Amino acid sequence: MQKVLVTGGCGYIGAHTIVDLINNGFDVVNVDNNIRSTTKLLDGVEQITGKKVRNYKVDLCNLEDTHAVFHENRDIVGVIHFAALKSVGESVHEPLLYFQNNLTSLVNVLKCVKEFNIPNFVFSSSCSVYGNTTALPVVEETPLGEAQSPYARTKQMGEQIIEDFSRVNTTQSILLRYFNPVGAHPSALIGELPLGKPDNLVPVITQTAIGKLPKVTVFGTNFNTRDGSCIRDYIHVTDIANAHTKALQYLLDKRNTANLEVFNLGTGTGVTVLEAIKAFEKISGMKLNYELGEPRPGDVIAIYANNTKAREKLGWEPKSGIEDMMRTAWQWEVALRDRVLNN
Ligand code: WQD
């Protein structure tokens, strides 16, 4: 059984990816320092797959400790690197924390990938690298725009580090640029666990509906879009997860045509904030308490993906629409409440 090393697998997208990897026959080990997560999601992974995933509780900014993990797992066929701080808002106030953590951890992992001759490397990147592009739908060749936050800049710089690394190393790398990952595994055993008050739209919607938040504020309704609210390319987290398995398989089969390739992970369909709210109301049968508010500084007005490259080269096909995303996000929120009530 081929073994994969995942970093940051106790997080939202990492945990869903581990489920998909296991369901596709891979053995997985995880590295996560749990500063922004617990092993709760790995418990959910075990309930879903029947497999207990070992977590090395290691800070990837410590090269010696990171090296020890690789030394103990010399048989891995690839690394999928999720581990990073990812709050756009926090990064504005703590830029040095973001540069130090996100870049040091990446460089340390790449040093070990090089030393142990790991053949394949997949990097968790983001559509935020495109900045305020107006060339929609976005293709991978779109020139990167001005990063709108230090978080986005760490993703841009991370991609450049990997590009320079790939030029002089045989490891084959893939950059996956996520658009807006939302929703939860249909079992409702794993999902998004925002620490404190969420910033992102979908957990704000579900926490408002369940009564943890008083209301949703729509950040801006006078933009030049079909209903005045911002447009995003929401993509189901299980579709994002499957793209990682497809990307690793693509590298293992040596179908890549270059040492470094980039893929957009979006549905290709833009959805406005008000449409997302309507989709939630439809699947939940609830009337959501929302108000129309002022724009949020730094928000891109509209962004959605051209995902042709991932479809054609990776054989990847996103399966879920906005209603599935809202349904599974809501089921997860309800499961979280019931678990608290029953414990
Ligand atoms: C979506 C839309 C808001 C909250 C995220 C991550 C970023 C990156 C890209 C991974 C926007 C509106 C939101 C609310 C609202 N992901 N909104 N009321 O900003 O697109 O970025 O995806 O790398 O890390 O932050 O996502 O969910 O915050 O906002 O109206 O209470 O919803 O204005 O138009 P965003 P988001």
Side-chain angles (χ1 to χ4, degrees), residues 13 86-88 125-128 151 155 178-182 197-204 215-220 223 229-232 234 273 295-296 299-301 303:
I13 300 173
K86 61 130 199 149
S87 166
V88 171
S125 191
S126 160
C127 65
S128 55
Y151 159 80
K155 289 300 181 184
Y178 313 156
F179 281 68
N180 285 57
V182 296
K197 185 183 175 311
D199 294 324
N200 296 141
L201 179 65
V202 172
V204 167
K215 65 180 181 305
V216 178
T217 301
V218 177
F219 294 143
F223 293 111
S229 63
C230 288
I231 293 175
R232 292 290 183 275
Y234 299 100
V273 175
R296 178 171 67 176
D299 265 349
V300 169
I301 297 172
I303 185 164

Side-chain angles (χ1 to χ4, degrees), residues 225-255:
T225 63
R226 51 183 177 270
D227 64 16
S229 63
C230 288
I231 293 175
R232 292 290 183 275
D233 187 335
Y234 299 100
I235 172 112
H236 201 288
V237 65
T238 53
D239 285 327
I240 291 273
N242 183 249
H244 290 76
T245 306
K246 290 274 193 319
L248 185 60
Q249 204 52 62
Y250 174 80
L251 294 177
L252 287 167
D253 299 345
K254 298 199 180 305
R255 286 182 278 137

Side-chain angles (χ1 to χ4, degrees), residues 103-227:
L103 300 182
T104 306
S105 53
L106 171 61
V107 168
N108 284 348
V109 168
L110 289 175
K111 281 180 176 175
C112 294
V113 163
K114 178 181 172 63
E115 180 175 339
F116 291 94
N117 294 312
I118 310 298
N120 304 298
F121 180 75
V122 178
F123 179 65
S124 165
S125 191
S126 160
C127 65
S128 55
V129 302
Y130 292 114
N132 267 324
T133 181
T134 52
L136 301 176
V138 180
V139 291
E140 290 84 352
E141 294 70 29
T142 301
L144 302 193
E146 175 62 27
Q148 296 299 298
S149 68
Y151 159 80
R153 209 179 310 282
T154 68
K155 289 300 181 184
Q156 287 183 337
M157 294 164 87
E159 290 195 356
Q160 288 162 350
I161 289 168
I162 297 162
E163 198 176 313
D164 290 341
F165 169 80
S166 301
R167 219 171 270 123
V168 291
N169 287 281
T170 55
T171 299
Q172 306 168 111
S173 296
I174 280 182
L175 309 178
L176 295 177
R177 291 175 179 164
Y178 313 156
F179 281 68
N180 285 57
V182 296
H185 190 269
S187 65
L189 290 168
I190 56 175
E192 198 166 2
L193 280 173
L195 295 175
K197 185 183 175 311
D199 294 324
N200 296 141
L201 179 65
V202 172
V204 167
I205 287 175
T206 58
Q207 288 196 13
T208 299
I210 206 116
K212 286 172 81 171
L213 292 174
K215 65 180 181 305
V216 178
T217 301
V218 177
F219 294 143
T221 51
N222 295 317
F223 293 111
N224 182 22
T225 63
R226 51 183 177 270
D227 64 16

